Amino acid sequence: MNRFTYLADVVTLELAPEKCVGCGLCAIVCPHAVLQMNGSRAAIIRRDDCMECGACAMNCPTGAIAVDAGVGCAAGIINAALGRTGADCCCVIEPRTNGDSQSPEKSKGIGCC
Amino acid sequence: MHYTVAPGLYALGTPDETSPVFVTANYKLSFDKLRSALPGRDAWILVLDTKGINVWCAAGKGSFGTQELVRRVAASRLDALVSHRNLILPQLGAPGTAAHAVKKQSGFSVVYGPVRAEDLPAFMDAGMKATPQMRIKDFSIGERAVLIPMELIPSMKWGVILLTATLLIGSFGNPVHGVFAMLMMLFGIMAGAVLTPLLLPWLPGRALSVKAATAGLVASGMLLVSQPVFQTGAVPFAAPLGLLIMATALSAFIGMNFTGATTYTSLSGVRKEMKWAVPVIIGAGVIGLALWIGALAVM
């Protein structure tokens, strides 16, 4: 009851098996056991469990894995749509109301988790 | 309040040149969790400058990453301090760190430790080997419960205005209806911010807005049927129906925003969900409001 699967058939995770050298690091770093070693090569076994954190692609020494990594956060997407900079989930930086403030710290407001 | 630790190298116990090196973020809770997970052990702790952000979030942004790690290893002259060439990183630091690049640039090998710091003693005792369970980031009811204030407090900022507005507008019908309307909205907010995180595995659907809409519909629906006034026909049916739709939409919106706090939603998935959920939520809100206001006008 503590493990969840989000929407089906939507993640951008791609594995090119011919580039895999079998180091196994992708299977180690994945926090949702999406990748597993199948003999000497990695395989995607639970595709819909992928949260696109990008850990596997980042740690693949041969670039065999590609994923459009990001944070799955509705607030972050809304913030980006509203033109707020630093548009990720935790930190909201309001758009500058005047042109003279250069640092984000000086802009209207910062909300951080 | 700043929950930060000064970046740099720290000694836990009395470490020597053979002691392991653990890497963490300079968020105080991350640092303290690591420290308290290793009672009675001697180790080096290398704290990266992540601007006070926890390991996973910082790794996603890249501040817990290859560059900062390589720089920090060099700045602390770790190569002269320890005889081995291993750095133990939290597994959740992997989205920002490329183990092969760290090796190339610093000479140190990255060993990814378990997801949870409390598994570190078992991981170390097993010769730096993690069990499959140690590699999984789950989302237990306890973890979900502590996120409730994070959902509730931001919702309450605009929630207070919304509740006051429904109380005032509803009171044009009559004061009792005003209180009822306000309670319906409160149930919607609570369903989204409290019930949805708690009941997450048991709510139907995969999209968070669908799960939360169900919670909102059931919670506000139960409040509705507990009000005998609506069963006598004294109030036009459109009034409670409109409020029910609004409360459901409210819960769905808050639930959709819970995606950012979960440990399993993907960016592509959230984009897909929002593509239909946002128009549906806005549409439902408008229809619900129109039904309610319309009913109040004839009351």
Side-chain angles (χ1 to χ4, degrees):
Chain A
M1 276 302 172
N2 292 337
R3 286 181 66 178
F4 298 87
T5 301
Y6 194 40
L7 309 185
D9 298 326
V10 69
V11 294
T12 53
L13 180 68
E14 295 293 341
L15 170 70
E18 71 280 2
K19 288 192 197 165
C20 179
V21 289
C23 72
L25 214 51
C26 56
I28 287 175
V29 296
C30 178
H32 293 293
V34 172
L35 293 135
Q36 206 176 57
M37 291 313 287
N38 190 357
S40 62
R41 275 183 180 173
I44 298 171
I45 57 157
R46 263 190 285 263
R47 187 185 186 77
D48 287 347
D49 284 6
C50 173
M51 61 175 293
E52 301 182 329
C53 72
C56 52
M58 177 65 89
N59 282 279
C60 179
T62 58
I65 303 174
V67 62
D68 186 6
V71 182
C73 171
I77 295 169
I78 293 172
N79 288 333
L82 294 178
R84 288 165 171 161
T85 51
D88 38 46
C89 206
C90 295
C91 292
V92 174
I93 300 169
E94 294 285 340
R96 281 169 212 156
T97 43
N98 49 10
D100 57 25
S101 83
Q102 287 305 307
S103 70
E105 283 78 17
K106 283 181 193 161
S107 65
K108 216 171 110 195
I110 302 171
C112 251
C113 60
Chain B
M1 274 266 245
H2 286 284
Y3 296 97
T4 57
V5 177
L9 191 68
Y10 291 78
L12 186 68
T14 48
D16 58 21
E17 73 277 2
T18 62
S19 301
V21 180
F22 295 98
V23 182
T24 190
N26 78 327
Y27 176 47
K28 193 170 184 305
L29 279 178
S30 306
F31 182 71
D32 288 345
K33 230 172 185 177
L34 175 60
R35 273 199 306 183
S36 56
L38 299 162
R41 291 182 189 240
D42 300 319
W44 300 102
I45 296 180
L46 187 63
V47 177
L48 304 190
D49 186 4
T50 60
K51 317 283 175 217
I53 307 282
N54 71 65
V55 171
W56 209 12
C57 282
K61 291 170 189 166
S63 56
F64 186 104
T66 307
Q67 236 191 337
E68 167 64 10
L69 178 58
V70 169
R71 197 173 54 212
R72 209 47 79 179
V73 166
S76 59
R77 311 191 59 178
L78 206 56
D79 57 345
L81 205 61
V82 294
S83 53
H84 63 81
R85 288 292 176 265
N86 288 322
L87 300 168
I88 301 166
L89 266 66
Q91 187 189 325
L92 295 184
T97 322
H100 52 93
V102 172
K103 170 89 180 171
K104 208 169 158 186
Q105 293 171 39
S106 71
F108 278 82
S109 298
V110 168
V111 178
Y112 286 109
V115 166
R116 286 163 296 272
E118 65 251 35
D119 289 331
L120 270 173
F123 173 82
M124 296 308 290
D125 294 344
M128 299 203 288
K129 290 264 183 297
T131 64
Q133 205 47 46
M134 290 182 194
R135 297 251 170 251
I136 302 287
K137 178 67 197 142
D138 57 12
F139 199 30
S140 69
I141 190 154
E143 284 176 280
R144 303 198 300 273
V146 298
L147 291 169
I148 290 172
M150 297 275 302
E151 298 301 298
L152 208 50
I153 293 163
S155 302
M156 274 303 158
K157 280 182 190 163
W158 50 265
V160 170
I161 300 167
L162 181 93
L163 294 175
T164 312
T166 43
L167 176 66
L168 291 176
I169 295 167
S171 298
F172 281 111
N174 60 60
V176 176
H177 185 74
V179 172
F180 170 73
M182 186 188 73
L183 281 177
M184 285 291 278
M185 294 307 111
L186 186 63
F187 270 50
I189 292 172
M190 288 298 181
V194 181
L195 293 182
T196 302
L198 287 181
L199 303 178
L200 202 63
W202 301 284
L203 291 168
R206 285 188 176 182
L208 271 287
S209 51
V210 172
K211 286 177 177 285
T214 309
L217 183 67
V218 171
S220 56
M222 280 165 72
L223 175 66
L224 181 62
V225 297
S226 72
Q227 300 295 307
V229 63
F230 295 112
Q231 291 149 21
T232 62
V235 175
F237 183 63
L241 181 65
L243 289 170
L244 187 69
I245 294 170
M246 283 160 67
T248 303
L250 204 53
S251 181
F253 179 74
I254 296 169
M256 187 184 76
N257 276 311
F258 189 58
T259 48
T262 67
T263 59
Y264 70 98
T265 54
S266 61
L267 179 58
S268 301
V270 176
R271 280 201 183 117
K272 186 181 179 184
E273 172 170 350
M274 288 180 77
K275 212 170 259 181
W276 55 263
V278 170
V280 169
I281 289 168
I282 292 172
V286 170
I287 291 167
L289 186 65
L291 281 172
W292 182 50
I293 299 284
L296 283 179
V298 298
M299 254 166 91

